[in-house]
Amino acid sequence: MKRRTLFAAAICAAGLTLAPAAFAQDVIKIGASAPKTGPLGGGGAMTHWPNIELWVHEINEAGGLQVGDRQMTIELIEYDDQTNPEIAIQNIQRLATIDNVDFIVTPYSTGINIATAPMIAQHGYPHITTSAATDGVAEFAQRWPNSFWMLGTATQLAVGAVEAFSKLRDAGEIGDTVALLYVGDAFGQEHINAAKPLLLEAGFDIVYEASYPFGTQDVAPIIAAAKAAEPDSFMAFSYPGDTFALTEQAQIQGLEVGAFYTGVGTAFPSFRDRFGDAAEGIMGIGGVNLDDPKVADYFDRHEELTGSEPDYWASATTYAGLQVLAQAIEETGSLDRAAVIETIQNGTFDTVIGTIDFVDNVNPNVWTVGQWRDGKFVAVAADGIAVGAEPVVKPAW
Amino acid sequence: MNSLSQKEIIIGIGGVLAFALAACLPLVDQGYYLSLAVNITLYAALCTAWTLFSGPTHYVSLATAAFFGLGTYAVALWVDVLPFPLLVAFGALAAGALAGIVGAATLRLSGVYFVIFTLGLAELVRQIVTWAQATFTTRMGLYVFTDLREMHIFWMLLALTAVIFLTGWLINRSRLGFAMRIIGDDETVARHVGIDTAKSKIVLFIISGAFIGIAGAICAPRYGYIQPTSAFNPMTSFLVVIMALLGGTRKLWGPIVGVIPFVILMDFITVRFSNYMPVAMGLSFLAIVFLLPNGVTGRLEQAWNKFQSRKSAPSSTETAA
């Protein structure tokens, strides 16, 4: 008798432990590995992590994703890659083979996305990148059919910059001469390769051209030399650190031009906060169309939950990439990764940056140039998508 | 040629068995543990190569990133036109040549100048590579796409570690190794007894640098995308010094004792306390310098000697009585 009671108790206990296990299956495990420390820690903290937080929060708040006939909430497992490809690869391996996550969201930056791409492909996860703007995307998409590229190419961004300048010039607002600067690394090189021939073709006269090493602190001599060439417009393919430094020096030295364009970092809210009214009219990579109610709504939600304004370039794209993943899972109706990849390849998705319809795994519709107008970084050039406004000439500092 | 003692034969067989066992890892797991093992093996190779030179001479070299990056670049520049093994050899040659030039210029100087110079070296090489790429080529990031999978990289790194060990053991038995030990103890004495100290140091620096270059070359396919900033990452240099010092540099196998726990610990911190990574790194460096100046192996040796003397002390008093 005693033994029988014990047996019954054991069965009950087994039943109890099984029950939560059955509930546990209604959770989708999502893995994330991106920098929290290291050189890109700041970028990750502004552009990458808040969007993941917002996305997970909103889905769980709404009760989860509808996967087939099940309602599944999201459990997020996150790791810091320290901006180090070695660690990033190790994190992906851990997510795939130890944590056994159902899906992995994109790592941050071109370099780490490429370093981890073979590993993500090997485990068969969809890989929707939202922070890699390079001309290699077509080649990567072909190499890893599970990978999708949403932020556009260096050529698209350069074309946009030249278009915006051409519009102002054709309207008689600025002259033909331009000073051209670029940071001496992969990013600057790709952009200058695309922009220079386009500028010459458009009839611009490059009166000053220079590159500077990545990490240059003192840009005063560069701005002085650019000013000496007396250009009508100024175009720099720069990184956040130098974007701020170049703008500051241009302001101090009084480099008056009708069109002033800098690279990554111009779209940061901190750029506007740093330069205040002087930021008015400055152009840079990125931009969003705040006239679109979906974009405006996204900005409000982002600020409300994370307490910070999103940046005006890759933030919305990062969020859109997550939206694509969620919609593809729901549309597929299962957690079968190969089927989800197929859905992403063939489907269309309604996101904060418009309708996404991948062409050979690349999203061709992107905002390319933004301009600071009354504290907002409005898209003034785009490829395949509506702009928020037409570019205007920059007022004096 | 001296014949092998019985002890050396046993250690040799044990070492071969350990390497053979480690080589079987990819058959068991191809996931996370393999990734972790790749990192451990990489740092085992780097730290042991570093100790080849810095162990006996006591010169702290922070040039690891420079040699490593050169090896990486040797592969990245020509991976599309030349076979991979040839590029690995290129990496060794390039890193060895750099070590030779740097060694000739600085190893006549004493300790601290050498440390500062090697610290600047990685940065210098990085800037030169950046400048050369910007000036002579049109693209800056280089892609290394090969069919090599993680397990192949693991096997190559493991083989490299074995070769470094073998080389270290042979050097220890050679005239060069003997000379190095004397230099390490007292460089003035070494010079007085007729040892060409500069030449000996340069030769060893070249060997050490070349091995680090090979490690960089092997790792290039793993990164896929090579940029000056990531290839010449100064963190590599510091990590190698920390791990080697943790293990202890007096014995050839010392660094490994440091590498294995350190990589696992770093991994643990990454998972649990990822926001405190730099703090954890700094604290561990301080702890090692203050608590384990001779590393784990030095501490073990000390304990062993104490144990031996205690064991022999009572017996000697007995005989006296």
Side-chain angles (χ1 to χ4, degrees), chain A residues 94-138:
Chain A
R94 180 170 26 221
L95 289 168
T97 65
I98 301 286
D99 302 321
N100 286 312
V101 295
D102 298 303
F103 293 96
I104 291 178
V105 300
T106 176
Y108 184 72
S109 85
T110 309
I112 292 189
N113 266 302
I114 292 165
T116 52
M119 198 53 75
I120 297 174
Q122 200 177 312
H123 290 295
Y125 288 102
H127 181 188
I128 308 170
T129 71
T130 50
S131 52
T134 150
D135 281 340
V137 294

CSV table of all heavy atoms in Angstrom, one decimal, chain A residues 94-138:
chain,number,residue,atom,x,y,z
A,94,ARG,N,27.0,29.2,-29.3
A,94,ARG,CA,26.4,28.9,-28.1
A,94,ARG,C,24.8,29.0,-28.2
A,94,ARG,O,24.1,28.2,-27.7
A,94,ARG,CB,26.8,29.9,-27.0
A,94,ARG,CG,26.2,29.6,-25.6
A,94,ARG,CD,26.8,30.3,-24.5
A,94,ARG,NE,27.4,31.6,-24.9
A,94,ARG,CZ,28.5,32.0,-24.4
A,94,ARG,NH1,29.2,31.3,-23.5
A,94,ARG,NH2,29.1,33.1,-24.9
A,95,LEU,N,24.4,30.1,-28.9
A,95,LEU,CA,22.9,30.2,-29.1
A,95,LEU,C,22.4,29.1,-29.9
A,95,LEU,O,21.3,28.6,-29.6
A,95,LEU,CB,22.7,31.5,-29.9
A,95,LEU,CG,22.9,32.8,-29.1
A,95,LEU,CD1,22.9,34.0,-30.0
A,95,LEU,CD2,21.9,33.0,-28.0
A,96,ALA,N,23.1,28.6,-30.9
A,96,ALA,CA,22.6,27.5,-31.7
A,96,ALA,C,22.7,26.2,-31.1
A,96,ALA,O,21.8,25.4,-31.2
A,96,ALA,CB,23.4,27.5,-33.1
A,97,THR,N,23.7,25.9,-30.4
A,97,THR,CA,23.9,24.5,-29.9
A,97,THR,C,23.8,24.3,-28.4
A,97,THR,O,23.5,23.2,-28.0
A,97,THR,CB,25.3,24.0,-30.3
A,97,THR,OG1,26.3,24.7,-29.6
A,97,THR,CG2,25.5,24.1,-31.8
A,98,ILE,N,23.9,25.3,-27.6
A,98,ILE,CA,23.7,25.2,-26.2
A,98,ILE,C,22.3,25.7,-25.8
A,98,ILE,O,21.5,25.0,-25.1
A,98,ILE,CB,24.7,26.0,-25.4
A,98,ILE,CG1,26.1,25.5,-25.7
A,98,ILE,CG2,24.5,25.8,-23.9
A,98,ILE,CD1,26.5,24.1,-25.2
A,99,ASP,N,22.0,26.9,-26.2
A,99,ASP,CA,20.7,27.5,-25.9
A,99,ASP,C,19.6,26.9,-26.8
A,99,ASP,O,18.4,27.1,-26.5
A,99,ASP,CB,20.7,29.0,-25.9
A,99,ASP,CG,21.8,29.6,-25.0
A,99,ASP,OD1,21.9,29.1,-23.9
A,99,ASP,OD2,22.5,30.5,-25.4
A,100,ASN,N,20.0,26.4,-27.9
A,100,ASN,CA,19.0,25.9,-28.9
A,100,ASN,C,17.9,26.8,-29.2
A,100,ASN,O,16.7,26.5,-29.1
A,100,ASN,CB,18.4,24.5,-28.4
A,100,ASN,CG,19.4,23.4,-28.5
A,100,ASN,OD1,20.0,23.2,-29.5
A,100,ASN,ND2,19.5,22.7,-27.4
A,101,VAL,N,18.3,28.1,-29.5
A,101,VAL,CA,17.3,29.1,-29.8
A,101,VAL,C,16.6,28.8,-31.2
A,101,VAL,O,17.1,28.1,-32.0
A,101,VAL,CB,17.9,30.5,-29.9
A,101,VAL,CG1,18.5,30.9,-28.6
A,101,VAL,CG2,19.0,30.6,-31.0
A,102,ASP,N,15.3,29.3,-31.3
A,102,ASP,CA,14.6,29.0,-32.5
A,102,ASP,C,15.0,30.0,-33.6
A,102,ASP,O,15.1,29.6,-34.8
A,102,ASP,CB,13.1,29.2,-32.2
A,102,ASP,CG,12.6,28.2,-31.2
A,102,ASP,OD1,12.8,27.0,-31.5
A,102,ASP,OD2,12.1,28.6,-30.1
A,103,PHE,N,15.4,31.2,-33.3
A,103,PHE,CA,15.8,32.2,-34.3
A,103,PHE,C,16.9,33.0,-33.7
A,103,PHE,O,17.0,33.2,-32.5
A,103,PHE,CB,14.7,33.0,-34.8
A,103,PHE,CG,13.6,32.2,-35.6
A,103,PHE,CD1,12.5,31.8,-34.9
A,103,PHE,CD2,13.9,31.9,-36.9
A,103,PHE,CE1,11.6,31.0,-35.7
A,103,PHE,CE2,13.0,31.2,-37.6
A,103,PHE,CZ,11.8,30.7,-37.0
A,104,ILE,N,17.7,33.6,-34.6
A,104,ILE,CA,18.8,34.5,-34.2
A,104,ILE,C,18.6,35.9,-34.9
A,104,ILE,O,18.3,35.9,-36.1
A,104,ILE,CB,20.2,33.9,-34.5
A,104,ILE,CG1,20.4,32.7,-33.7
A,104,ILE,CG2,21.3,35.0,-34.3
A,104,ILE,CD1,21.8,32.0,-34.0
A,105,VAL,N,18.6,37.0,-34.1
A,105,VAL,CA,18.5,38.3,-34.8
A,105,VAL,C,19.9,38.7,-35.2
A,105,VAL,O,20.9,38.2,-34.7
A,105,VAL,CB,17.8,39.3,-33.9
A,105,VAL,CG1,16.4,38.9,-33.5
A,105,VAL,CG2,18.6,39.6,-32.6
A,106,THR,N,19.9,39.7,-36.1
A,106,THR,CA,21.2,40.0,-36.7
A,106,THR,C,22.2,40.6,-35.7
A,106,THR,O,21.9,41.3,-34.8
A,106,THR,CB,21.0,41.1,-37.8
A,106,THR,OG1,22.2,41.5,-38.3
A,106,THR,CG2,20.2,42.3,-37.2
A,107,PRO,N,23.5,40.2,-35.9
A,107,PRO,CA,24.6,41.0,-35.2
A,107,PRO,C,24.7,42.4,-35.7
A,107,PRO,O,24.0,42.8,-36.6
A,107,PRO,CB,25.8,40.2,-35.5
A,107,PRO,CG,25.3,38.8,-36.0
A,107,PRO,CD,24.0,39.1,-36.6
A,108,TYR,N,25.6,43.2,-35.1
A,108,TYR,CA,25.7,44.6,-35.5
A,108,TYR,C,27.0,44.9,-36.2
A,108,TYR,O,28.1,44.3,-35.8
A,108,TYR,CB,25.7,45.4,-34.2
A,108,TYR,CG,25.7,46.9,-34.4
A,108,TYR,CD1,24.6,47.6,-34.8
A,108,TYR,CD2,26.8,47.6,-34.0
A,108,TYR,CE1,24.6,48.9,-35.0
A,108,TYR,CE2,26.8,49.0,-34.2
A,108,TYR,CZ,25.7,49.7,-34.6
A,108,TYR,OH,25.7,51.0,-34.8
A,109,SER,N,27.0,45.7,-37.3
A,109,SER,CA,28.1,46.1,-38.1
A,109,SER,C,28.4,45.2,-39.2
A,109,SER,O,28.2,44.0,-39.1
A,109,SER,CB,29.4,46.4,-37.3
A,109,SER,OG,30.1,45.2,-37.1
A,110,THR,N,28.9,45.7,-40.3
A,110,THR,CA,29.2,45.0,-41.5
A,110,THR,C,30.2,43.8,-41.2
A,110,THR,O,30.0,42.7,-41.5
A,110,THR,CB,29.9,45.9,-42.6
A,110,THR,OG1,29.1,47.0,-42.7
A,110,THR,CG2,30.1,45.2,-43.9
A,111,GLY,N,31.3,44.2,-40.5
A,111,GLY,CA,32.4,43.2,-40.3
A,111,GLY,C,31.9,42.0,-39.5
A,111,GLY,O,32.1,40.8,-39.9
A,112,ILE,N,31.1,42.2,-38.5
A,112,ILE,CA,30.7,41.1,-37.6
A,112,ILE,C,29.6,40.3,-38.3
A,112,ILE,O,29.5,39.1,-38.1
A,112,ILE,CB,30.4,41.6,-36.2
A,112,ILE,CG1,31.7,42.0,-35.6
A,112,ILE,CG2,29.7,40.5,-35.3
A,112,ILE,CD1,31.7,42.3,-34.1
A,113,ASN,N,28.7,41.0,-39.0
A,113,ASN,CA,27.7,40.2,-39.8
A,113,ASN,C,28.4,39.3,-40.8
A,113,ASN,O,27.9,38.1,-41.0
A,113,ASN,CB,26.8,41.2,-40.6
A,113,ASN,CG,25.6,41.5,-39.8
A,113,ASN,OD1,24.8,40.6,-39.4
A,113,ASN,ND2,25.3,42.8,-39.5
A,114,ILE,N,29.5,39.7,-41.4
A,114,ILE,CA,30.1,38.8,-42.4
A,114,ILE,C,30.9,37.7,-41.7
A,114,ILE,O,30.9,36.6,-42.1
A,114,ILE,CB,31.0,39.7,-43.3
A,114,ILE,CG1,30.2,40.5,-44.2
A,114,ILE,CG2,31.9,38.8,-44.2
A,114,ILE,CD1,30.9,41.6,-44.9
A,115,ALA,N,31.5,38.0,-40.5
A,115,ALA,CA,32.3,37.0,-39.8
A,115,ALA,C,31.3,35.9,-39.3
A,115,ALA,O,31.7,34.7,-39.3
A,115,ALA,CB,33.0,37.6,-38.6
A,116,THR,N,30.1,36.3,-38.9
A,116,THR,CA,29.2,35.3,-38.3
A,116,THR,C,28.3,34.6,-39.4
A,116,THR,O,27.7,33.6,-39.1
A,116,THR,CB,28.3,35.9,-37.3
A,116,THR,OG1,27.7,37.1,-37.8
A,116,THR,CG2,29.0,36.3,-36.0
A,117,ALA,N,28.2,35.2,-40.6
A,117,ALA,CA,27.3,34.7,-41.6
A,117,ALA,C,27.5,33.2,-41.9
A,117,ALA,O,26.5,32.5,-42.0
A,117,ALA,CB,27.4,35.5,-42.9
A,118,PRO,N,28.8,32.7,-42.1
A,118,PRO,CA,28.9,31.3,-42.4
A,118,PRO,C,28.4,30.4,-41.3
A,118,PRO,O,27.8,29.4,-41.5
A,118,PRO,CB,30.4,31.1,-42.5
A,118,PRO,CG,31.0,32.4,-42.7
A,118,PRO,CD,30.1,33.4,-42.1
A,119,MET,N,28.6,30.8,-40.0
A,119,MET,CA,28.1,30.1,-38.9
A,119,MET,C,26.6,30.1,-38.8
A,119,MET,O,25.9,29.0,-38.6
A,119,MET,CB,28.7,30.7,-37.6
A,119,MET,CG,28.7,29.8,-36.4
A,119,MET,SD,29.4,28.2,-36.8
A,119,MET,CE,31.2,28.6,-36.8
A,120,ILE,N,26.0,31.2,-39.0
A,120,ILE,CA,24.5,31.3,-39.0
A,120,ILE,C,23.9,30.5,-40.2
A,120,ILE,O,22.9,29.8,-40.0
A,120,ILE,CB,24.0,32.8,-39.1
A,120,ILE,CG1,24.6,33.5,-37.9
A,120,ILE,CG2,22.5,32.9,-39.2
A,120,ILE,CD1,24.3,35.0,-37.9
A,121,ALA,N,24.6,30.5,-41.3
A,121,ALA,CA,24.1,29.7,-42.5
A,121,ALA,C,24.2,28.2,-42.2
A,121,ALA,O,23.3,27.4,-42.5
A,121,ALA,CB,24.9,30.1,-43.7
A,122,GLN,N,25.3,27.9,-41.6
A,122,GLN,CA,25.6,26.4,-41.3
A,122,GLN,C,24.5,25.9,-40.4
A,122,GLN,O,24.1,24.7,-40.5
A,122,GLN,CB,26.9,26.4,-40.5
A,122,GLN,CG,27.6,25.0,-40.5
A,122,GLN,CD,28.9,25.1,-39.8
A,122,GLN,OE1,29.7,26.0,-40.1
A,122,GLN,NE2,29.2,24.2,-38.9
A,123,HIS,N,24.0,26.7,-39.4
A,123,HIS,CA,22.9,26.2,-38.6
A,123,HIS,C,21.5,26.4,-39.2
A,123,HIS,O,20.5,26.1,-38.5
A,123,HIS,CB,23.0,26.9,-37.2
A,123,HIS,CG,24.2,26.5,-36.4
A,123,HIS,ND1,24.4,25.2,-35.9
A,123,HIS,CD2,25.3,27.1,-36.0
A,123,HIS,CE1,25.5,25.1,-35.3
A,123,HIS,NE2,26.1,26.2,-35.3
A,124,GLY,N,21.5,27.0,-40.4
A,124,GLY,CA,20.2,27.2,-41.1
A,124,GLY,C,19.3,28.2,-40.5
A,124,GLY,O,18.0,28.1,-40.8
A,125,TYR,N,19.8,29.2,-39.9
A,125,TYR,CA,18.9,30.3,-39.4
A,125,TYR,C,18.7,31.4,-40.4
A,125,TYR,O,19.7,31.7,-41.2
A,125,TYR,CB,19.5,31.0,-38.1
A,125,TYR,CG,19.5,30.2,-36.9
A,125,TYR,CD1,20.6,29.5,-36.4
A,125,TYR,CD2,18.4,30.1,-36.1
A,125,TYR,CE1,20.6,28.8,-35.3
A,125,TYR,CE2,18.3,29.3,-35.0
A,125,TYR,CZ,19.5,28.7,-34.6
A,125,TYR,OH,19.5,27.9,-33.4
A,126,PRO,N,17.6,32.0,-40.5
A,126,PRO,CA,17.5,33.2,-41.3
A,126,PRO,C,18.3,34.3,-40.7
A,126,PRO,O,18.4,34.4,-39.5
A,126,PRO,CB,16.0,33.6,-41.3
A,126,PRO,CG,15.4,32.8,-40.2
A,126,PRO,CD,16.3,31.7,-39.9
A,127,HIS,N,19.0,35.1,-41.6
A,127,HIS,CA,19.9,36.1,-41.1
A,127,HIS,C,19.6,37.4,-41.8
A,127,HIS,O,19.9,37.7,-42.9
A,127,HIS,CB,21.4,35.7,-41.5
A,127,HIS,CG,22.4,36.6,-41.1
A,127,HIS,ND1,23.8,36.4,-41.4
A,127,HIS,CD2,22.4,37.7,-40.3
A,127,HIS,CE1,24.5,37.4,-40.9
A,127,HIS,NE2,23.7,38.1,-40.2
A,128,ILE,N,18.8,38.3,-41.1
A,128,ILE,CA,18.3,39.5,-41.7
A,128,ILE,C,19.1,40.7,-41.2
A,128,ILE,O,18.9,41.1,-40.1
A,128,ILE,CB,16.8,39.7,-41.3
A,128,ILE,CG1,16.0,38.5,-41.6
A,128,ILE,CG2,16.2,41.0,-42.0
A,128,ILE,CD1,14.6,38.5,-41.0
A,129,THR,N,20.1,41.1,-42.0
A,129,THR,CA,21.0,42.1,-41.5
A,129,THR,C,20.4,43.5,-41.7
A,129,THR,O,19.8,43.8,-42.7
A,129,THR,CB,22.4,42.1,-42.3
A,129,THR,OG1,22.1,42.5,-43.6
A,129,THR,CG2,22.9,40.7,-42.3
A,130,THR,N,20.7,44.4,-40.8
A,130,THR,CA,20.1,45.7,-40.8
A,130,THR,C,21.2,46.8,-40.5
A,130,THR,O,20.9,47.9,-40.3
A,130,THR,CB,19.0,45.9,-39.8
A,130,THR,OG1,19.4,45.4,-38.5
A,130,THR,CG2,17.8,45.1,-40.3
A,131,SER,N,22.4,46.4,-40.4
A,131,SER,CA,23.5,47.4,-40.1
A,131,SER,C,24.7,47.2,-40.9
A,131,SER,O,25.8,47.4,-40.5
A,131,SER,CB,23.9,47.2,-38.6
A,131,SER,OG,24.2,45.9,-38.3
A,132,ALA,N,24.5,46.7,-42.2
A,132,ALA,CA,25.6,46.5,-43.1
A,132,ALA,C,25.3,47.2,-44.4
A,132,ALA,O,24.5,46.8,-45.2
A,132,ALA,CB,25.9,45.1,-43.3
A,133,ALA,N,26.0,48.4,-44.6
A,133,ALA,CA,25.8,49.1,-45.9
A,133,ALA,C,27.0,49.0,-46.7
A,133,ALA,O,28.0,49.8,-46.5
A,133,ALA,CB,25.4,50.6,-45.6
A,134,THR,N,27.1,48.1,-47.6
A,134,THR,CA,28.3,47.9,-48.4
A,134,THR,C,27.9,47.4,-49.8
A,134,THR,O,26.8,46.9,-50.0
A,134,THR,CB,29.3,46.8,-47.7
A,134,THR,OG1,30.0,46.2,-48.7
A,134,THR,CG2,28.5,45.8,-46.9
A,135,ASP,N,28.8,47.5,-50.7
A,135,ASP,CA,28.5,47.1,-52.1
A,135,ASP,C,28.6,45.6,-52.3
A,135,ASP,O,28.3,45.1,-53.3
A,135,ASP,CB,29.4,47.9,-53.1
A,135,ASP,CG,29.0,49.3,-53.3
A,135,ASP,OD1,27.8,49.6,-53.0
A,135,ASP,OD2,29.8,50.1,-53.8
A,136,GLY,N,29.0,44.9,-51.2
A,136,GLY,CA,29.2,43.5,-51.4
A,136,GLY,C,27.8,42.7,-51.2
A,136,GLY,O,27.8,41.5,-51.3
A,137,VAL,N,26.7,43.4,-50.9
A,137,VAL,CA,25.5,42.7,-50.5
A,137,VAL,C,25.0,41.7,-51.5
A,137,VAL,O,24.6,40.6,-51.1
A,137,VAL,CB,24.4,43.7,-50.0
A,137,VAL,CG1,24.8,44.5,-48.8
A,137,VAL,CG2,24.0,44.6,-51.2
A,138,ALA,N,25.1,42.0,-52.8
A,138,ALA,CA,24.6,41.1,-53.8
A,138,ALA,C,25.3,39.8,-53.7
A,138,ALA,O,24.8,38.7,-53.8
A,138,ALA,CB,24.6,41.7,-55.2
